[in-house]
Amino acid sequence: MEKTKENNKNIRIYGAGGHSQVIKEVLKQNGYAISDTFDDKPEGSHYASKNVTTGARKDLTSFPHAGDPVIIAVGTNAHRAEIAQFLNCKYEKAIHASAIISPTSKVGEGTVVFAGAIIQPNTTIGKHVIINTGASVDHDNIIGDFAHISPKAALCGHVEVGEGSHVGVGAVVIPKVKIGKWCTIGAGTIVIKDIPDYSTVVGNPGRIIKTNNPL
């Protein structure tokens, strides 16, 4: 996927925590100017976030849904999904210049791809996904909306990661494994078999330690 700088283009960020700082740097390197920063709890913003405006939760009708495109800069998958449901905005992507993305892959709106990440051919990345620093997503993968592939995690070929699932730092998923939706794969876990929805997996080899019932 070709990455080009778009100069003098404004963008808005929803989220003012630490995760947003990484996204801001990627956007600025790609020639974007941050026009507004929103957060549902401005008093808890990262110290480097300035001029943070209260988000949409308290008054959805008066929130400026129209205008510059938005990136939801919130690290928690469930919170990112919830925000995406109540905003009616145009979304943009944030892709670091050092990321390697095959031209035959697809990256959904609102997704962020950080420094050193690799996305190989014929892979589909959903909406509002985080492909974090140095993550490796091999060929023919399917990554669901709101998922998070953590730093240095490695997904082999033909892997599926369901909606909202979090693959932890340095985890490895062997080929053709399917991880269900809203799963948590612990840091350093080696996943060698399919994982059902709402499961927490840890260890080498990965073992299910908990399966939550959906609300």
Side-chain angles (χ1 to χ4, degrees):
M1 179 175 292
E2 185 179 359
K3 302 184 289 293
T4 59
K5 289 190 176 182
E6 300 181 59
N7 294 315
N8 302 316
K9 185 172 181 179
N10 290 336
I11 194 165
R12 299 179 292 172
I13 290 181
Y14 199 112
H19 179 65
S20 72
Q21 305 306 308
V22 186
I23 292 176
K24 283 167 61 177
E25 287 201 358
V26 174
L27 292 170
K28 290 178 179 179
Q29 288 172 2
N30 288 342
Y32 287 84
I34 310 301
S35 57
D36 293 285
T37 301
F38 303 97
D39 197 277
D40 293 319
K41 295 182 179 179
E43 66 279 5
S45 298
H46 189 276
Y47 71 89
S49 293
K50 309 298 182 185
N51 302 318
V52 180
T53 302
T54 301
R57 289 181 190 272
K58 291 185 178 180
D59 190 354
L60 185 60
T61 58
S62 66
F63 184 83
H65 296 277
D68 297 329
V70 171
I71 284 185
I72 303 174
V74 175
T76 302
N77 294 352
H79 294 171
R80 200 163 60 255
E82 184 181 6
I83 293 167
Q85 288 178 348
F86 62 67
L87 292 185
N88 184 20
C89 299
K90 178 182 177 181
Y91 294 106
E92 189 55 275
K93 307 169 192 176
I95 300 175
H96 195 278
S98 68
I100 299 172
I101 304 178
S102 167
T104 62
S105 68
K106 297 178 181 179
V107 178
E109 66 179 19
T111 288
V112 297
V113 183
F114 290 160
I118 300 173
I119 300 173
Q120 296 285 22
N122 307 314
T123 283
T124 299
I125 309 292
K127 300 176 182 179
H128 306 287
V129 173
I130 301 170
I131 306 297
N132 220 313
T133 308
S136 176
V137 181
D138 219 288
H139 64 91
D140 298 288
N141 277 212
I142 300 173
I143 312 299
D145 298 343
F146 312 111
H148 181 179
I149 311 303
S150 293
K152 300 295 183 181
L155 310 184
C156 295
H158 296 280
V159 166
E160 294 185 29
V161 177
E163 176 187 276
S165 287
H166 184 182
V167 179
V169 175
V172 175
V173 184
I174 70 167
K176 299 183 179 180
V177 164
K178 182 176 181 179
I179 296 171
K181 61 184 179 181
W182 299 102
C183 292
T184 300
I185 309 300
T189 297
I190 310 298
V191 184
I192 62 172
K193 60 182 180 180
D194 291 355
I195 305 299
D197 297 344
Y198 306 104
S199 296
T200 298
V201 182
V202 298
N204 179 12
R207 66 187 188 282
I208 297 172
I209 61 169
K210 180 171 64 174
T211 299
N212 295 323
N213 292 321
L215 297 177

